[in-house]
Amino acid sequence: MLRYSINRVLLMIPTLLGVAVLVFFLLRIVPGDIVEIKLRGDGGTVTQETIELERKRLGLDRPLINQFGTWMVGMATLDFGDSMWTERPVVTEIAGRLELSLQVAIMATLIAILLAIPMGTAAALFRDSWIDYTVRLITIGGLSIPSFWFGMLIMLTLLGLFNWLPPITFTPIYVDPVANLTQLIWPALAVGYRYCAVVARMIRSSLLEVMNEDYIRTARAKGVYEKLVVSRHALRNALLPAITVIGLEFTFLIGGLVVTEQVFNLNGIGQLFVQSVSRNDFTLIQGMVMLIAAFYVFVNLAIDLLYAVFDPRIRYNS
Amino acid sequence: MTVVEADKDVRGRPDAQPGATAPLLQVEDLHTQFHTSRGIVRAVEGVSFSVDRGEVVAIVGESGSGKSVTALSIMRLLPRLTGKIPQGRVTFDGRNLLDLDDEQMREIRGRDISMIFQEPMTSLNPILTIGLQIKEPLQIHLGMSDDEAQARAIELLNLVGITDPERRLDQYPHQFSGGMRQRVMIAIGLACNPKLIIADEPTTALDVTIQAQILELMKNLSRKLNIALIIITHNLGVVARYADRVIVMYAARVAEQGPAEQLFHKPRHPYTMGLLRSVPRLDHPRGSKLETIEGLPPNLANVSTACRFAPRCPFRIPVCEQEPPLYPTDTGSLSRCHRHAEIAEGKITWSSLGGVGLNFAANTEAPVLSVRHLTKHFSVSGGLRGASGTVRAVEDVSFDIYPGETLGLVGESGCGKTTVGRLILRLEEPSAGEIHFEGVNLSTGSAAELKAMRRKVQVIFQDPYSSLNPRMTVGQIIGEPLHVYKIVSGRKQNEERVADLLENVGLRPEMAERYPHQLSGGQRQRVGIARALAMEPSFIVCDEAVSALDVSIQGQIINLLEELQRKFRLAYLFIAHDLAVVRHISARVVVMYFGRVMEIADRDVIYGGSLHPYTKVLLDAAPVPDPTIEKQREPRLIKGELPSHLAPPTGCVFNTRCPLASQECREVIPPLEEKRPGHFAACIKV
C-alpha cells in the first residue's frame, strides 16, 4: 500500500504539470490586462508610458515562455510568487482564506455525513413507506434548492427571529471557538443540505442494491440479527460508492462556494477567486488553480486508499 | 370433489416412509404468492411433502417451477414487500414455522435449518473474512466466545476439506476458488449442527469435477451427522446419485413425487417421463435427435383450471381440462396425472422419434477452419495490482473443422475454451499460431478478406438475456447485420428476410415486432441463432449456447442447431462444459485442460475408449440420471482444484490432479501424439 501511495503521489507530478501549462497559457489568451485594470480601472488617465513601465516592473513584457519558466522554477522551490495586485505573496493571500473555506467544507461534510447515513439507510430499509417518502422529499429539495438561496433563507430567519447578522470579520476557531462556530455553522448548513441530499440518495440507492445481494440472504439464512445484517453486512458495502461522492463534493466546496460566501459575508477562497479573475491577477489565479488541482488529486488518492481499507478485494500491492 | 379436497385426501394417507415417528419437516398445502405490479404470481400452489430425519430429498424442476420459492418459504426468506404465504403449514420439529414471529424464526435459521445457495461467488460477503462469516452463527446461536468459535471454525474447515484452516480463516472470499467458497458455505451451514440443510442448486455454478467433490462431501456429512438434506436442482444426474426421494415440480405444483429409484425407472407423470428423455445422457446410446417437450411452461400470473402440463402433453385427453389431484400410484409415488394408471400399464409411452443417427462420413474435403499452434498469453501487469506474470490461457492448440461438422470443445472453467472461441472470432489477437479460414490465413489476410471472414464466421453466445440489445426489436436485431453488410437491399426485402430467418429458427414472423424482454430464454436463444444465420455463415462458434437453458428447452435448441446444420451445411465449434450435450451434438471432440489440448478423437472414441486420464476423470465425474448406476458407483476419482494460472505446474499441466502422475510427468511436457489413427492424446503414460 505504501508503494502504491508513493506511486500515486509521483503520478501527481505530470498531472499538476499539465494543469500548470494549461492554466498559464489559457490565462494569457484571455483578453484584458492587469496593469490597465489597476491603473485605469477607476477612470483615471495614465500615460501609455506609465503602463509600459508597470508591465515591465511586473515582468509582463518578457516572452511568455520566459515568464512560464520563472513561475515553474519558483513553484519547484515552493515559491508561488506575489500577487500582481496586492504585491503580497500568493501563499499569504490564499492561506488566510483557505483556513475559512476549509473549515466550512469540513463542517459541511460532517453535517452531510451525519445526516445522510441515517437518512439514506432509513429510506432504503423502509422503502416506499412514509419514511422513504419524507427522506426523498427532503433530498430532492436539497438537490433543487440552490445553496445560496437556502443560505439567504437562513439569514432572513436569523435576522427576523434573533435579529442576528453575520459579523463582518472572521474569527478563527483557535481565537474564539464559540464566535467562530456561530459564524460558520450557518454557511456550513446551507451547503451541507445539498451535500447531504446527494450523499443520502447515493446511500439509499446503493443500500437498496446491496440488500438484494446474495450475501445478505446468506446472512439472514444464518439467523443473523436484522440489525447486524444491516450494520455489518449491508451498510459497509453500501458506503463504498458514497465515499467517492463525499470526496468529490468536499473538493468542490474548496473554492466552489462563490455565491454562498457572498451571502454570508465570508472572505473565502471562492471570493478570492472571483476577485483575482476580475483583476486578471495572473499569479494569484495560477496559484489558486494549482492549489485546487492538488486538492483534487490528493482527495482522489485518499478515496482510493479508503476503498482499499473498506474493501479487501482492492489491495494495491502484492 | 374439488381439487383441494383431493389433495387433502392424499395427504391424509400415511407417508410411504417407514417408522411411526413424525417427520422432521412437513410441508402441507403451501401457497406462496408474489404481489407484483403486474398482478399476483402464484409461485407455489398447494405443495405438500415431508422430510424425515437424515433423509435426502430432491426437488427437481425447471426455472420458475417454484422449487426455490418453496425453500425460501420454509426459511421465511421471501422478499418482505412482495412475497406472501396466504395458506399452508410448515411443521418443523413440531412447530409451525409460519406461526412464529420474526425473532423466533431468526433463532431457527442457521441453528436448526441452514441453507446453502447456488452462487458461491456472490453468497459470501466480499468485505468480511471467512472466519467472521463462519463464526457469526456460532456466536449468535450458541453464544460461543470468540476462542470457542475460532476452534469450532477450524474444525469445520477441516471437516469440509479446506487445508491450512487457521490461515484461511483470516482470508476474504475473493481469495478462494468457487469450489472452496462452496465448501465454506457448507461449513457455515454445518456450524450449529442443524437438523436440516436446504441446498439450492449447490453445484450448478461449479465445474463437473468440483461438483462431484462437493456433492460427495454433502452426502457423507449428512449421513455421518444424521442431517436431513433437501437438494434443489435441475440436474437429474445429481438427483439420481444422492436423493432418497424426489419431488418433481412443474408450474408451481408438485407433478410427481416418490422414491428416487421408482421415479427414475417408472415415472408416472408425462412431464417426468419427458424430462428424463430430453436430457442428453452419457449412459445411453446417442439417438439421432433429442426428445423434447415442446412448448413453454405456463405463465404463473395467469393459469387456467386445466392440468398445467396439458398444453405440452402429448397424451392430453378431454378430462385434462380439469386439473388432476395427486393420485397415489402403483409405485408408491404420487402423480398429478389422470392417466397415471394407463402409464403404469404401459399403454402410454412417448413415441420414439427413431430415425438413423447422423452419419459422419470421413472428411475428404478441405477443412473450413484450421487452427495451428494457437497460443494466447495474457500479461498480468505489475502496476497497481502488484503480482505480475503471464497467464498462458491457450497454449499450442491445433485442430481442424470440416464443412458440415460439429467439433465439440469441452473442459472446465479456466481451461481456455472460451478464449479459443474468441481467438477464432478475432475478438482477441493470438500471441502465436495461425488460424486458416477457408484457406485464408487470418493473421496475414487483407482487410477485405477479414471482412468477408467476419461475415462467414458467426457466434451464438451463452447468455440469451444479456446478448440481445434490450432497446431493439427482434426484427431490428436480426435485420441490422443484413443492412450493414448489404445482404439485402431495401426495407421490404429486409423484412422478408427477417421473417424467413425467424421461420427457420421456429419462431413466428410476428415476433419481429417484440422486444427481447417479452421473450422466454429459449426464444431469445432462437433469436440469437437467427441473427447468426442472417449473415449466411459457413461456420458458427457456439459458446455454451445451451447451458443457460432449462433441460426441456435445451433439447429444443440442440435439435434446432442440428437441423440448421443439415440444411445449410454449417460447421460448428461447440464449446461447452456439459459432456453429455457435447457428446450428443459433436462428431469429434477436443478436451482441453489448463490451456492445453489433452485429447482429440471421434466422439464415440472419446466417450467409449478415451486414453487420457483427464478425459476419464471428467467422464467419471459427470453424474448420469439413473439411480441404480449412480448408487453403485465408486466414489469419484478426482481430487483437488485447478492450479493457479500464475504458478502453473511444471511438466504436464494435469500432473497435480492426475491419478497416474509420476515424477516424469512433473518434468516432461507431454506432446499431443496420434496414439491411434485419428486419436490424439497428450500423455506419456498411455
Side-chain angles (χ1 to χ4, degrees), chain B residues 174-204:
Chain B
H174 70 276
Q175 290 160 301
F176 289 71
S177 68
M180 283 294 158
R181 289 187 210 194
Q182 202 59 310
R183 285 171 194 266
V184 171
M185 281 297 293
I186 294 172
I188 293 172
L190 290 171
C192 301
N193 280 325
K195 299 183 178 103
L196 172 67
I197 295 180
I198 304 175
D200 189 356
E201 305 267 9
T203 57
T204 305

PDB file of all heavy atoms in Angstrom, chain B residues 174-204:
ATOM      1  N   HIS B 174     -12.718 -13.522  -1.908  1.00  0.00           N
ATOM      2  CA  HIS B 174     -12.127 -13.482  -3.247  1.00  0.00           C
ATOM      3  C   HIS B 174     -10.818 -14.254  -3.324  1.00  0.00           C
ATOM      4  O   HIS B 174     -10.310 -14.481  -4.409  1.00  0.00           O
ATOM      5  CB  HIS B 174     -11.918 -12.032  -3.688  1.00  0.00           C
ATOM      6  CG  HIS B 174     -10.841 -11.322  -2.937  1.00  0.00           C
ATOM      7  ND1 HIS B 174     -11.063 -10.719  -1.733  1.00  0.00           N
ATOM      8  CD2 HIS B 174      -9.539 -11.148  -3.203  1.00  0.00           C
ATOM      9  CE1 HIS B 174      -9.938 -10.196  -1.281  1.00  0.00           C
ATOM     10  NE2 HIS B 174      -8.994 -10.435  -2.155  1.00  0.00           N
ATOM     11  N   GLN B 175     -10.294 -14.640  -2.164  1.00  0.00           N
ATOM     12  CA  GLN B 175      -9.055 -15.413  -2.186  1.00  0.00           C
ATOM     13  C   GLN B 175      -9.333 -16.921  -2.292  1.00  0.00           C
ATOM     14  O   GLN B 175      -8.408 -17.722  -2.227  1.00  0.00           O
ATOM     15  CB  GLN B 175      -8.238 -15.102  -0.924  1.00  0.00           C
ATOM     16  CG  GLN B 175      -7.678 -13.685  -0.954  1.00  0.00           C
ATOM     17  CD  GLN B 175      -7.294 -13.166   0.411  1.00  0.00           C
ATOM     18  OE1 GLN B 175      -8.114 -13.075   1.315  1.00  0.00           O
ATOM     19  NE2 GLN B 175      -6.031 -12.824   0.576  1.00  0.00           N
ATOM     20  N   PHE B 176     -10.605 -17.285  -2.426  1.00  0.00           N
ATOM     21  CA  PHE B 176     -10.983 -18.688  -2.556  1.00  0.00           C
ATOM     22  C   PHE B 176     -11.543 -18.955  -3.949  1.00  0.00           C
ATOM     23  O   PHE B 176     -12.157 -18.068  -4.534  1.00  0.00           O
ATOM     24  CB  PHE B 176     -12.077 -19.034  -1.531  1.00  0.00           C
ATOM     25  CG  PHE B 176     -11.598 -19.088  -0.105  1.00  0.00           C
ATOM     26  CD1 PHE B 176     -11.241 -17.943   0.578  1.00  0.00           C
ATOM     27  CD2 PHE B 176     -11.525 -20.300   0.558  1.00  0.00           C
ATOM     28  CE1 PHE B 176     -10.815 -17.995   1.888  1.00  0.00           C
ATOM     29  CE2 PHE B 176     -11.101 -20.362   1.870  1.00  0.00           C
ATOM     30  CZ  PHE B 176     -10.738 -19.210   2.547  1.00  0.00           C
ATOM     31  N   SER B 177     -11.349 -20.180  -4.435  1.00  0.00           N
ATOM     32  CA  SER B 177     -11.965 -20.549  -5.713  1.00  0.00           C
ATOM     33  C   SER B 177     -13.446 -20.855  -5.479  1.00  0.00           C
ATOM     34  O   SER B 177     -13.891 -20.971  -4.341  1.00  0.00           O
ATOM     35  CB  SER B 177     -11.272 -21.775  -6.274  1.00  0.00           C
ATOM     36  OG  SER B 177     -11.559 -22.891  -5.458  1.00  0.00           O
ATOM     37  N   GLY B 178     -14.182 -21.006  -6.565  1.00  0.00           N
ATOM     38  CA  GLY B 178     -15.614 -21.272  -6.470  1.00  0.00           C
ATOM     39  C   GLY B 178     -15.922 -22.508  -5.634  1.00  0.00           C
ATOM     40  O   GLY B 178     -16.787 -22.497  -4.767  1.00  0.00           O
ATOM     41  N   GLY B 179     -15.188 -23.569  -5.890  1.00  0.00           N
ATOM     42  CA  GLY B 179     -15.422 -24.810  -5.160  1.00  0.00           C
ATOM     43  C   GLY B 179     -15.115 -24.639  -3.682  1.00  0.00           C
ATOM     44  O   GLY B 179     -15.838 -25.128  -2.803  1.00  0.00           O
ATOM     45  N   MET B 180     -14.035 -23.909  -3.391  1.00  0.00           N
ATOM     46  CA  MET B 180     -13.641 -23.677  -1.998  1.00  0.00           C
ATOM     47  C   MET B 180     -14.674 -22.811  -1.283  1.00  0.00           C
ATOM     48  O   MET B 180     -14.988 -23.017  -0.115  1.00  0.00           O
ATOM     49  CB  MET B 180     -12.270 -22.996  -1.949  1.00  0.00           C
ATOM     50  CG  MET B 180     -11.124 -23.945  -2.220  1.00  0.00           C
ATOM     51  SD  MET B 180     -11.006 -25.170  -0.889  1.00  0.00           S
ATOM     52  CE  MET B 180     -10.123 -26.470  -1.712  1.00  0.00           C
ATOM     53  N   ARG B 181     -15.212 -21.832  -2.008  1.00  0.00           N
ATOM     54  CA  ARG B 181     -16.242 -20.988  -1.396  1.00  0.00           C
ATOM     55  C   ARG B 181     -17.471 -21.816  -1.056  1.00  0.00           C
ATOM     56  O   ARG B 181     -18.103 -21.602  -0.030  1.00  0.00           O
ATOM     57  CB  ARG B 181     -16.663 -19.878  -2.350  1.00  0.00           C
ATOM     58  CG  ARG B 181     -15.607 -18.836  -2.514  1.00  0.00           C
ATOM     59  CD  ARG B 181     -16.165 -17.708  -3.324  1.00  0.00           C
ATOM     60  NE  ARG B 181     -15.076 -17.095  -4.082  1.00  0.00           N
ATOM     61  CZ  ARG B 181     -15.175 -15.935  -4.676  1.00  0.00           C
ATOM     62  NH1 ARG B 181     -16.298 -15.270  -4.652  1.00  0.00           N
ATOM     63  NH2 ARG B 181     -14.161 -15.437  -5.341  1.00  0.00           N
ATOM     64  N   GLN B 182     -17.798 -22.758  -1.961  1.00  0.00           N
ATOM     65  CA  GLN B 182     -18.970 -23.570  -1.675  1.00  0.00           C
ATOM     66  C   GLN B 182     -18.693 -24.452  -0.456  1.00  0.00           C
ATOM     67  O   GLN B 182     -19.584 -24.707   0.337  1.00  0.00           O
ATOM     68  CB  GLN B 182     -19.366 -24.391  -2.910  1.00  0.00           C
ATOM     69  CG  GLN B 182     -20.813 -24.850  -2.931  1.00  0.00           C
ATOM     70  CD  GLN B 182     -21.825 -23.716  -2.885  1.00  0.00           C
ATOM     71  OE1 GLN B 182     -21.753 -22.812  -2.040  1.00  0.00           O
ATOM     72  NE2 GLN B 182     -22.784 -23.732  -3.772  1.00  0.00           N
ATOM     73  N   ARG B 183     -17.437 -24.875  -0.274  1.00  0.00           N
ATOM     74  CA  ARG B 183     -17.089 -25.617   0.941  1.00  0.00           C
ATOM     75  C   ARG B 183     -17.255 -24.735   2.165  1.00  0.00           C
ATOM     76  O   ARG B 183     -17.727 -25.194   3.215  1.00  0.00           O
ATOM     77  CB  ARG B 183     -15.649 -26.108   0.856  1.00  0.00           C
ATOM     78  CG  ARG B 183     -15.470 -27.286  -0.084  1.00  0.00           C
ATOM     79  CD  ARG B 183     -14.002 -27.584  -0.302  1.00  0.00           C
ATOM     80  NE  ARG B 183     -13.823 -28.472  -1.436  1.00  0.00           N
ATOM     81  CZ  ARG B 183     -13.735 -29.792  -1.331  1.00  0.00           C
ATOM     82  NH1 ARG B 183     -13.759 -30.358  -0.155  1.00  0.00           N
ATOM     83  NH2 ARG B 183     -13.608 -30.537  -2.401  1.00  0.00           N
ATOM     84  N   VAL B 184     -16.887 -23.471   2.023  1.00  0.00           N
ATOM     85  CA  VAL B 184     -17.062 -22.550   3.141  1.00  0.00           C
ATOM     86  C   VAL B 184     -18.549 -22.401   3.456  1.00  0.00           C
ATOM     87  O   VAL B 184     -18.961 -22.419   4.618  1.00  0.00           O
ATOM     88  CB  VAL B 184     -16.438 -21.175   2.822  1.00  0.00           C
ATOM     89  CG1 VAL B 184     -16.815 -20.153   3.892  1.00  0.00           C
ATOM     90  CG2 VAL B 184     -14.932 -21.284   2.699  1.00  0.00           C
ATOM     91  N   MET B 185     -19.368 -22.283   2.398  1.00  0.00           N
ATOM     92  CA  MET B 185     -20.819 -22.182   2.602  1.00  0.00           C
ATOM     93  C   MET B 185     -21.338 -23.411   3.354  1.00  0.00           C
ATOM     94  O   MET B 185     -22.197 -23.308   4.227  1.00  0.00           O
ATOM     95  CB  MET B 185     -21.545 -22.080   1.253  1.00  0.00           C
ATOM     96  CG  MET B 185     -21.527 -20.719   0.597  1.00  0.00           C
ATOM     97  SD  MET B 185     -22.352 -19.448   1.555  1.00  0.00           S
ATOM     98  CE  MET B 185     -24.053 -19.983   1.484  1.00  0.00           C
ATOM     99  N   ILE B 186     -20.812 -24.569   2.980  1.00  0.00           N
ATOM    100  CA  ILE B 186     -21.250 -25.791   3.660  1.00  0.00           C
ATOM    101  C   ILE B 186     -20.806 -25.759   5.122  1.00  0.00           C
ATOM    102  O   ILE B 186     -21.560 -26.119   6.024  1.00  0.00           O
ATOM    103  CB  ILE B 186     -20.704 -27.032   2.928  1.00  0.00           C
ATOM    104  CG1 ILE B 186     -21.348 -27.128   1.552  1.00  0.00           C
ATOM    105  CG2 ILE B 186     -20.970 -28.294   3.722  1.00  0.00           C
ATOM    106  CD1 ILE B 186     -20.755 -28.186   0.651  1.00  0.00           C
ATOM    107  N   ALA B 187     -19.581 -25.271   5.350  1.00  0.00           N
ATOM    108  CA  ALA B 187     -19.099 -25.162   6.729  1.00  0.00           C
ATOM    109  C   ALA B 187     -20.014 -24.248   7.533  1.00  0.00           C
ATOM    110  O   ALA B 187     -20.354 -24.556   8.680  1.00  0.00           O
ATOM    111  CB  ALA B 187     -17.670 -24.621   6.741  1.00  0.00           C
ATOM    112  N   ILE B 188     -20.436 -23.145   6.931  1.00  0.00           N
ATOM    113  CA  ILE B 188     -21.362 -22.235   7.620  1.00  0.00           C
ATOM    114  C   ILE B 188     -22.675 -22.954   7.899  1.00  0.00           C
ATOM    115  O   ILE B 188     -23.241 -22.862   8.979  1.00  0.00           O
ATOM    116  CB  ILE B 188     -21.602 -20.962   6.781  1.00  0.00           C
ATOM    117  CG1 ILE B 188     -20.321 -20.134   6.684  1.00  0.00           C
ATOM    118  CG2 ILE B 188     -22.734 -20.125   7.369  1.00  0.00           C
ATOM    119  CD1 ILE B 188     -20.407 -18.962   5.735  1.00  0.00           C
ATOM    120  N   GLY B 189     -23.139 -23.702   6.898  1.00  0.00           N
ATOM    121  CA  GLY B 189     -24.391 -24.437   7.053  1.00  0.00           C
ATOM    122  C   GLY B 189     -24.316 -25.457   8.182  1.00  0.00           C
ATOM    123  O   GLY B 189     -25.275 -25.661   8.912  1.00  0.00           O
ATOM    124  N   LEU B 190     -23.144 -26.087   8.326  1.00  0.00           N
ATOM    125  CA  LEU B 190     -22.999 -27.133   9.332  1.00  0.00           C
ATOM    126  C   LEU B 190     -22.703 -26.584  10.720  1.00  0.00           C
ATOM    127  O   LEU B 190     -22.806 -27.315  11.706  1.00  0.00           O
ATOM    128  CB  LEU B 190     -21.825 -28.050   8.949  1.00  0.00           C
ATOM    129  CG  LEU B 190     -21.995 -28.968   7.747  1.00  0.00           C
ATOM    130  CD1 LEU B 190     -20.668 -29.610   7.416  1.00  0.00           C
ATOM    131  CD2 LEU B 190     -23.045 -30.024   8.045  1.00  0.00           C
ATOM    132  N   ALA B 191     -22.353 -25.314  10.789  1.00  0.00           N
ATOM    133  CA  ALA B 191     -21.763 -24.745  12.000  1.00  0.00           C
ATOM    134  C   ALA B 191     -22.489 -25.144  13.288  1.00  0.00           C
ATOM    135  O   ALA B 191     -21.873 -25.602  14.234  1.00  0.00           O
ATOM    136  CB  ALA B 191     -21.694 -23.223  11.877  1.00  0.00           C
ATOM    137  N   CYS B 192     -23.793 -24.975  13.316  1.00  0.00           N
ATOM    138  CA  CYS B 192     -24.517 -25.192  14.571  1.00  0.00           C
ATOM    139  C   CYS B 192     -25.157 -26.579  14.642  1.00  0.00           C
ATOM    140  O   CYS B 192     -26.122 -26.767  15.386  1.00  0.00           O
ATOM    141  CB  CYS B 192     -25.598 -24.130  14.743  1.00  0.00           C
ATOM    142  SG  CYS B 192     -24.947 -22.466  14.767  1.00  0.00           S
ATOM    143  N   ASN B 193     -24.627 -27.534  13.871  1.00  0.00           N
ATOM    144  CA  ASN B 193     -25.230 -28.867  13.821  1.00  0.00           C
ATOM    145  C   ASN B 193     -26.724 -28.816  13.554  1.00  0.00           C
ATOM    146  O   ASN B 193     -27.531 -29.219  14.400  1.00  0.00           O
ATOM    147  CB  ASN B 193     -24.997 -29.627  15.133  1.00  0.00           C
ATOM    148  CG  ASN B 193     -23.625 -30.224  15.173  1.00  0.00           C
ATOM    149  OD1 ASN B 193     -23.106 -30.660  14.131  1.00  0.00           O
ATOM    150  ND2 ASN B 193     -23.018 -30.226  16.335  1.00  0.00           N
ATOM    151  N   PRO B 194     -27.127 -28.329  12.408  1.00  0.00           N
ATOM    152  CA  PRO B 194     -28.565 -28.201  12.140  1.00  0.00           C
ATOM    153  C   PRO B 194     -29.205 -29.574  11.945  1.00  0.00           C
ATOM    154  O   PRO B 194     -28.514 -30.570  11.766  1.00  0.00           O
ATOM    155  CB  PRO B 194     -28.600 -27.400  10.844  1.00  0.00           C
ATOM    156  CG  PRO B 194     -27.338 -27.775  10.152  1.00  0.00           C
ATOM    157  CD  PRO B 194     -26.320 -27.980  11.236  1.00  0.00           C
ATOM    158  N   LYS B 195     -30.522 -29.591  11.988  1.00  0.00           N
ATOM    159  CA  LYS B 195     -31.235 -30.840  11.731  1.00  0.00           C
ATOM    160  C   LYS B 195     -31.551 -30.983  10.251  1.00  0.00           C
ATOM    161  O   LYS B 195     -31.796 -32.076   9.761  1.00  0.00           O
ATOM    162  CB  LYS B 195     -32.538 -30.858  12.531  1.00  0.00           C
ATOM    163  CG  LYS B 195     -32.307 -30.774  14.037  1.00  0.00           C
ATOM    164  CD  LYS B 195     -33.634 -30.878  14.783  1.00  0.00           C
ATOM    165  CE  LYS B 195     -33.412 -30.838  16.280  1.00  0.00           C
ATOM    166  NZ  LYS B 195     -33.746 -29.517  16.854  1.00  0.00           N
ATOM    167  N   LEU B 196     -31.582 -29.838   9.587  1.00  0.00           N
ATOM    168  CA  LEU B 196     -31.960 -29.849   8.163  1.00  0.00           C
ATOM    169  C   LEU B 196     -31.112 -28.830   7.411  1.00  0.00           C
ATOM    170  O   LEU B 196     -30.917 -27.710   7.889  1.00  0.00           O
ATOM    171  CB  LEU B 196     -33.448 -29.481   8.021  1.00  0.00           C
ATOM    172  CG  LEU B 196     -33.996 -29.252   6.613  1.00  0.00           C
ATOM    173  CD1 LEU B 196     -34.000 -30.541   5.811  1.00  0.00           C
ATOM    174  CD2 LEU B 196     -35.403 -28.672   6.666  1.00  0.00           C
ATOM    175  N   ILE B 197     -30.600 -29.252   6.256  1.00  0.00           N
ATOM    176  CA  ILE B 197     -29.914 -28.304   5.381  1.00  0.00           C
ATOM    177  C   ILE B 197     -30.670 -28.264   4.066  1.00  0.00           C
ATOM    178  O   ILE B 197     -31.000 -29.307   3.502  1.00  0.00           O
ATOM    179  CB  ILE B 197     -28.446 -28.719   5.120  1.00  0.00           C
ATOM    180  CG1 ILE B 197     -27.636 -28.658   6.414  1.00  0.00           C
ATOM    181  CG2 ILE B 197     -27.799 -27.797   4.080  1.00  0.00           C
ATOM    182  CD1 ILE B 197     -26.186 -29.042   6.241  1.00  0.00           C
ATOM    183  N   ILE B 198     -30.972 -27.060   3.615  1.00  0.00           N
ATOM    184  CA  ILE B 198     -31.599 -26.902   2.306  1.00  0.00           C
ATOM    185  C   ILE B 198     -30.533 -26.376   1.363  1.00  0.00           C
ATOM    186  O   ILE B 198     -29.954 -25.322   1.606  1.00  0.00           O
ATOM    187  CB  ILE B 198     -32.782 -25.919   2.362  1.00  0.00           C
ATOM    188  CG1 ILE B 198     -33.798 -26.385   3.407  1.00  0.00           C
ATOM    189  CG2 ILE B 198     -33.429 -25.794   0.993  1.00  0.00           C
ATOM    190  CD1 ILE B 198     -34.943 -25.416   3.611  1.00  0.00           C
ATOM    191  N   ALA B 199     -30.230 -27.136   0.331  1.00  0.00           N
ATOM    192  CA  ALA B 199     -29.195 -26.713  -0.610  1.00  0.00           C
ATOM    193  C   ALA B 199     -29.860 -26.372  -1.937  1.00  0.00           C
ATOM    194  O   ALA B 199     -30.435 -27.239  -2.591  1.00  0.00           O
ATOM    195  CB  ALA B 199     -28.167 -27.818  -0.791  1.00  0.00           C
ATOM    196  N   ASP B 200     -29.824 -25.091  -2.291  1.00  0.00           N
ATOM    197  CA  ASP B 200     -30.489 -24.633  -3.509  1.00  0.00           C
ATOM    198  C   ASP B 200     -29.480 -24.606  -4.643  1.00  0.00           C
ATOM    199  O   ASP B 200     -28.633 -23.725  -4.699  1.00  0.00           O
ATOM    200  CB  ASP B 200     -31.078 -23.235  -3.259  1.00  0.00           C
ATOM    201  CG  ASP B 200     -31.965 -22.778  -4.409  1.00  0.00           C
ATOM    202  OD1 ASP B 200     -32.054 -23.513  -5.416  1.00  0.00           O
ATOM    203  OD2 ASP B 200     -32.553 -21.693  -4.299  1.00  0.00           O
ATOM    204  N   GLU B 201     -29.554 -25.556  -5.527  1.00  0.00           N
ATOM    205  CA  GLU B 201     -28.627 -25.683  -6.655  1.00  0.00           C
ATOM    206  C   GLU B 201     -27.172 -25.548  -6.172  1.00  0.00           C
ATOM    207  O   GLU B 201     -26.427 -24.705  -6.676  1.00  0.00           O
ATOM    208  CB  GLU B 201     -28.914 -24.600  -7.718  1.00  0.00           C
ATOM    209  CG  GLU B 201     -30.336 -24.582  -8.230  1.00  0.00           C
ATOM    210  CD  GLU B 201     -30.515 -25.414  -9.485  1.00  0.00           C
ATOM    211  OE1 GLU B 201     -29.571 -26.141  -9.865  1.00  0.00           O
ATOM    212  OE2 GLU B 201     -31.597 -25.361 -10.081  1.00  0.00           O
ATOM    213  N   PRO B 202     -26.759 -26.383  -5.233  1.00  0.00           N
ATOM    214  CA  PRO B 202     -25.451 -26.130  -4.609  1.00  0.00           C
ATOM    215  C   PRO B 202     -24.271 -26.294  -5.554  1.00  0.00           C
ATOM    216  O   PRO B 202     -23.196 -25.787  -5.270  1.00  0.00           O
ATOM    217  CB  PRO B 202     -25.382 -27.177  -3.491  1.00  0.00           C
ATOM    218  CG  PRO B 202     -26.301 -28.264  -3.933  1.00  0.00           C
ATOM    219  CD  PRO B 202     -27.390 -27.590  -4.695  1.00  0.00           C
ATOM    220  N   THR B 203     -24.449 -26.995  -6.657  1.00  0.00           N
ATOM    221  CA  THR B 203     -23.276 -27.255  -7.500  1.00  0.00           C
ATOM    222  C   THR B 203     -23.462 -26.748  -8.919  1.00  0.00           C
ATOM    223  O   THR B 203     -22.625 -26.979  -9.778  1.00  0.00           O
ATOM    224  CB  THR B 203     -22.997 -28.768  -7.569  1.00  0.00           C
ATOM    225  OG1 THR B 203     -24.157 -29.415  -8.066  1.00  0.00           O
ATOM    226  CG2 THR B 203     -22.643 -29.310  -6.215  1.00  0.00           C
ATOM    227  N   THR B 204     -24.563 -26.056  -9.172  1.00  0.00           N
ATOM    228  CA  THR B 204     -24.853 -25.648 -10.544  1.00  0.00           C
ATOM    229  C   THR B 204     -23.782 -24.735 -11.114  1.00  0.00           C
ATOM    230  O   THR B 204     -23.458 -24.788 -12.292  1.00  0.00           O
ATOM    231  CB  THR B 204     -26.220 -24.945 -10.584  1.00  0.00           C
ATOM    232  OG1 THR B 204     -27.159 -25.831 -10.006  1.00  0.00           O
ATOM    233  CG2 THR B 204     -26.634 -24.616 -11.987  1.00  0.00           C
TER     234      THR B 204
END
